[in-house]
Amino acid sequence: WRLSMSDDKKEKVIEIIKKLMLKDEHATDGCEEERNAALAKVQELIIKYRITDEDLEESEKEEKVKITSSHIFMDSAPWVRHIFGYVARMNFCKYMYITSKSKPTKATHYVFGRELEVELTIKLVEAIVKNIARQARYEAKLRPYDRSFQRSFLNSAARRISIRCCDMVEKAKKVTYERETGQFLTVIADQYDIAEKQNAEYIKSQYETVKTKKPIHFKNYSREGSIRGDAYGKTVKIKEE
């Protein structure tokens, strides 16, 4: 016999099947038991809920059309771009920017990914940048003798934010518990790989050429500014609760 179910339930079952299939694809040599268990569960779910190849293909098509982009016009400073890139990656998005010809200190920052994650990335970066810039100006006024304090503060804070973002990504990639199946799956790690591929395909379809610039390297001249910026970067909120 087969269970009838709502569309919401069907989507959840299909999502579980996809995760199990990814688990099979990424299983390493010598993990036959793990691979066989995943495949057995897939077969069980397909039979129990009458999931067809058409259901899986349609679900994949729906996922592809969810990729979108949005942008914001703001400061083009290297420390701002640095934060944008790492926060975007943390939220499964891709980041690019185009410097304004009429206003060299400004740029249009583009974020690519799923709509909700794109909006979240822009919202978070905007808040982070305003927060750090405000604190840097305040502390720089208290140290008029240190002319490079503010720049060093901004650079160090941005670098600390990027380290925290990387730590969160690596932590999320670790094995996570999947309640629906009662198994431990590397779900998040797979999702980062999927997001990177989807975003790349979207950008390729929208733009003929995309130039990738070299990584940003900061030079800090104020030791005090660097220390204060690094400390402040540890306290800034980088994830929506």
Side-chain angles (χ1 to χ4, degrees):
W1 62 284
R2 294 185 174 90
L3 296 178
S4 60
M5 56 181 168
S6 64
D7 289 340
D8 288 341
K9 178 66 175 178
K10 191 173 187 178
E11 288 180 6
K12 289 181 180 178
V13 173
I14 290 174
E15 188 64 25
I16 294 171
I17 290 173
K18 287 182 178 180
K19 290 174 181 178
L20 287 166
M21 291 173 71
L22 281 171
K23 185 179 179 67
D24 170 54
E25 290 176 6
H26 293 285
T28 57
D29 293 337
C31 297
E32 290 300 324
E33 290 185 7
E34 185 179 359
R35 180 184 290 110
N36 292 338
L39 290 174
K41 188 64 179 179
V42 168
Q43 186 176 18
E44 177 188 333
L45 291 173
I46 288 176
I47 294 174
K48 185 176 181 180
Y49 295 103
R50 203 172 187 177
I51 303 298
T52 66
D53 290 341
E54 287 75 17
D55 291 329
L56 295 173
E57 290 174 2
E58 187 62 29
S59 177
E60 290 179 358
K61 289 179 182 178
E62 290 177 359
E63 284 186 359
K64 290 182 179 180
V65 300
K66 290 179 182 177
I67 303 301
T68 184
S69 66
S70 188
H71 62 273
I72 183 172
F73 187 73
M74 57 188 293
D75 196 343
S76 65
W79 70 274
V80 174
R81 305 198 307 267
H82 194 69
I83 291 175
F84 241 123
Y86 281 93
V87 173
R89 180 171 179 266
M90 182 181 69
N91 288 323
F92 304 94
C93 295
K94 180 74 174 177
Y95 163 72
M96 296 193 308
Y97 72 95
I98 298 177
T99 306
S100 172
K101 292 183 179 180
S102 59
K103 298 180 179 180
T105 61
K106 299 289 183 180
T108 303
H109 303 269
Y110 293 88
V111 180
F112 305 85
R114 296 188 178 184
E115 185 175 359
L116 182 61
E117 292 162 347
V118 167
E119 291 178 1
L120 175 62
T121 296
I122 292 177
K123 178 181 176 182
L124 281 175
V125 171
E126 194 173 14
I128 290 170
V129 168
K130 286 182 179 179
N131 198 338
I132 293 176
R134 181 172 58 247
Q135 187 67 19
R137 287 194 299 269
Y138 170 75
E139 295 206 24
K141 286 181 180 179
L142 302 178
R143 301 168 177 81
Y145 55 85
D146 193 341
R147 299 177 64 180
S148 57
F149 177 90
Q150 184 168 334
R151 180 173 60 176
S152 296
F153 183 103
L154 294 171
N155 290 346
S156 288
R159 185 162 48 233
R160 175 54 58 182
I161 293 293
S162 69
I163 292 172
R164 290 174 61 197
C165 287
C166 286
D167 288 343
M168 292 185 74
V169 169
E170 292 308 312
K171 185 177 179 180
K173 280 185 175 182
K174 291 182 179 179
V175 177
T176 183
Y177 184 65
E178 177 58 50
R179 293 181 181 178
E180 294 286 346
T181 64
Q183 297 183 25
F184 286 92
L185 305 175
T186 53
V187 177
I188 299 299
D190 296 330
Q191 291 304 312
Y192 273 107
D193 293 337
I194 292 170
E196 185 174 351
K197 182 178 179 181
Q198 290 176 333
N199 295 337
E201 289 176 352
Y202 177 86
I203 293 172
K204 186 177 180 180
S205 69
Q206 299 295 317
Y207 301 90
E208 291 184 3
T209 57
V210 175
K211 294 182 179 179
T212 303
K213 294 195 173 184
K214 295 181 180 179
I216 298 171
H217 296 288
F218 296 120
K219 291 183 179 180
N220 293 335
Y221 299 97
S222 168
R223 184 173 183 276
E224 187 178 9
S226 298
I227 293 172
R228 290 294 303 150
D230 183 78
Y232 192 73
K234 294 178 181 178
T235 67
V236 178
K237 180 180 177 182
I238 64 170
K239 187 176 182 181
E240 193 72 8
E241 301 296 339

